[in-house]
Amino acid sequence: MKDIVFVSGHKNPDSDSICSAIAYADYLFRIGRYNAVPVRLGEINKETEYILKRFHTEIPVLLKTVKQTIRQNELIQKGDHIVLGLSGGPDSVCLFSVLRKLSEELDITLEAVHINHKFRPGAAELDAEYVQSICDEAGIICRQYETDCIQKAADEGLTVEEAGRIARYEAFDEVAGRRGGPVKIAVAQNADDQYETMLFRLMRGTGPDGLAAIQYERKSDGGFSIIRPLLDVEKADILEYCRAEGLSPRVDYTNEQTKYTRNRIRLELIPYIEKNFNSGFKSSLSRLSSVLNDDRDYMWQQTSAAMRQVCRDGITDVNALAGFHRSIRTRVIMKLAEAAGLTEDIAMAHIRAIDELVCKNSPSGRVSLPAGFEAVFEYGALRITNSADQTREHNTEARKLTAVFDTDEIKKVHPGGEIVIRTRRPGDYIHIGTGSKKIQDLFVDLKIPKDRRDDIQLAAVESEVLWVAGYRYSSRYKVTKDTKNAQTVEIFVMA
């Protein structure tokens, strides 16, 4: 942006009236056109001094922070097209304003995406109208989407928060996919979101990678870079920026409701710690996150080096893998699962079960994983494959199959029920995806020969099957990052 000096007497483009240099300069700066410095010839008064101070101290600090974050983490390159998630709240409106101001300097183009999640009827529609209006004023395209996330959550067995997140990133990927050339997706998570995420994960249980929390950049399911330019900016600074800029973002009243765990962390826990234990608690969290991010990067570099030594053509040498530290082994296993296509729902309980067989150097064995995947040990080699639709071949060797279940979720549905190992019975069913299926129908779908169906081992509670050993894992009681109590089930079968 160019520095311009104005004198009084300019026409106000909003109202066709005559306005002062200060008002006109303020308007031009707000819309991101110029870094306007208002000066009356031969006169500096208190109003002018305030505007000069606001332009040259408060606002550049936030802009400087964002530019530094972008530069240090190489988030944006010249010529990038940025697909921006624009909810209409303070965070996204701040990012929208900042990227507009930096667009010429960074040589980027912008496109906004707004998703109406149908969470707040009436207010959600006003959010959409507001977002459309600020995009129209700026001459920026805004793509509007609507998804009934409450219904989506019910249909797919998700929390409403998970359903909303999936809907947002599906929309971002769709818009990004239409664009040619380099495209990135920008979202407005800030430093306070980082602090909340660290504490949330710590209370639920996590490892060092989980505590490193939100990354500056990651890949979307569609393969696009998701960037977070505001991750070093605290919420208070964002609100001050919006106030100073005359922005009027929408306010989501649900963010102030303490029935949500993350809100309670932000509104109650962090202020309590700051007041009673450490006034610089947020700074401490920020330093911890930085250190853990560095450690995470190093550990994954070592993991990549280990994989080059132990993996060939999708086959992993178990003996070679067993020689590494457990921290590296577990990361290798995670990468193997990811390479096989298992990117969600795999928990540490699954990883530990696989690692146990690695260390035992078992001649054969299997660990059942979510979504029909399994880890297969044969003749000193480890493979992770999707076996849900494969028919097993007969042999005379006993195999140990392992599965892990969330026992708290089981108790919610079957109070007092116990997991038993048995073969099929009339009325047996299993949850798959968003619904349930009779075991008889599942056997047909899997093309299991009729003469083998009565021999298939099942883990069940009453008539509900949790696991068809070697074939299918229930979608209902899978272990997640939020699981507190889990039960491991082992079945020895003749393959």
Side-chain angles (χ1 to χ4, degrees), residues 59-77:
I59 291 177
V61 168
L62 188 143
L63 290 176
K64 181 180 178 180
T65 300
V66 174
K67 288 170 63 175
Q68 182 175 320
T69 299
I70 290 172
R71 183 179 67 255
Q72 288 183 344
N73 298 281
E74 300 180 344
L75 299 184
I76 293 175
Q77 282 73 45

Side-chain angles (χ1 to χ4, degrees), residues 198-251:
M198 293 177 71
L199 292 174
F200 181 83
R201 291 180 178 176
L202 179 63
M203 289 187 292
R204 293 295 183 94
T206 188
D209 285 6
L211 273 184
I214 305 171
Q215 301 177 49
Y216 290 99
E217 183 175 6
R218 71 170 181 84
K219 291 294 183 182
S220 71
D221 289 343
F224 298 99
S225 289
I226 300 171
I227 61 173
R228 298 176 173 89
L230 293 183
L231 203 54
D232 294 323
V233 180
E234 293 193 353
K235 184 76 169 188
D237 296 321
I238 290 172
L239 295 176
E240 173 57 25
Y241 176 90
C242 290
R243 184 204 63 76
E245 286 293 282
L247 304 173
S248 303
R250 298 282 297 167
V251 177

Side-chain angles (χ1 to χ4, degrees), residues 302-482:
Q302 296 303 304
T303 299
S304 296
M307 291 188 72
R308 289 192 291 271
Q309 297 181 45
V310 304
C311 300
R312 293 287 186 278
D313 301 322
I315 304 297
T316 301
D317 185 329
V318 174
N319 288 330
L321 180 58
F324 286 89
H325 189 279
R326 184 169 68 177
S327 181
I328 298 298
R329 295 198 306 267
T330 56
R331 284 174 166 81
V332 168
I333 293 168
M334 291 168 67
K335 278 294 185 183
L336 293 175
E338 181 182 330
L342 180 55
T343 58
E344 297 181 357
D345 302 327
I346 185 166
M348 187 52 65
H350 300 116
I351 303 298
R352 293 292 194 219
I354 297 172
D355 187 54
E356 182 182 346
L357 291 181
V358 169
C359 294
K360 287 182 177 179
N361 196 17
S362 302
S364 63
R366 295 173 187 262
V367 176
S368 289
L369 303 172
F373 286 82
E374 66 176 359
V376 182
F377 289 80
E378 292 178 325
Y379 305 108
L382 165 64
R383 292 178 295 113
I384 296 181
T385 62
N386 189 337
S387 59
D389 298 318
Q390 297 178 2
T391 302
R392 306 300 193 262
E393 297 181 357
H394 287 278
N395 64 51
T396 58
E397 186 177 2
R399 295 184 289 125
K400 183 176 76 169
L401 307 183
T402 306
V404 187
F405 305 101
D406 188 319
T407 52
D408 292 332
E409 292 300 315
I410 294 173
K411 289 177 181 177
K412 289 178 183 179
V413 180
H414 301 284
E418 296 291 337
I419 299 176
V420 298
I421 308 301
R422 59 173 176 80
T423 55
R424 64 172 175 165
R425 296 174 182 169
D428 281 349
Y429 65 94
I430 186 172
H431 275 270
I432 296 176
T434 60
S436 62
K437 177 172 287 193
K438 293 180 180 179
I439 290 299
Q440 168 64 25
D441 295 338
L442 177 67
F443 284 175
V444 172
D445 293 344
L446 295 176
K447 300 180 176 62
I448 298 175
K450 290 182 178 181
D451 62 350
R452 294 193 60 206
R453 294 176 187 174
D454 288 333
D455 298 326
I456 302 294
Q457 296 293 303
L458 312 174
V461 178
E462 300 169 352
S463 293
E464 182 174 5
V465 175
L466 313 183
W467 178 34
V468 181
Y471 289 93
R472 186 59 59 92
Y473 201 74
S474 171
S475 62
R476 198 172 192 180
Y477 308 109
K478 56 192 176 185
V479 174
T480 69
K481 64 180 184 299
D482 297 328

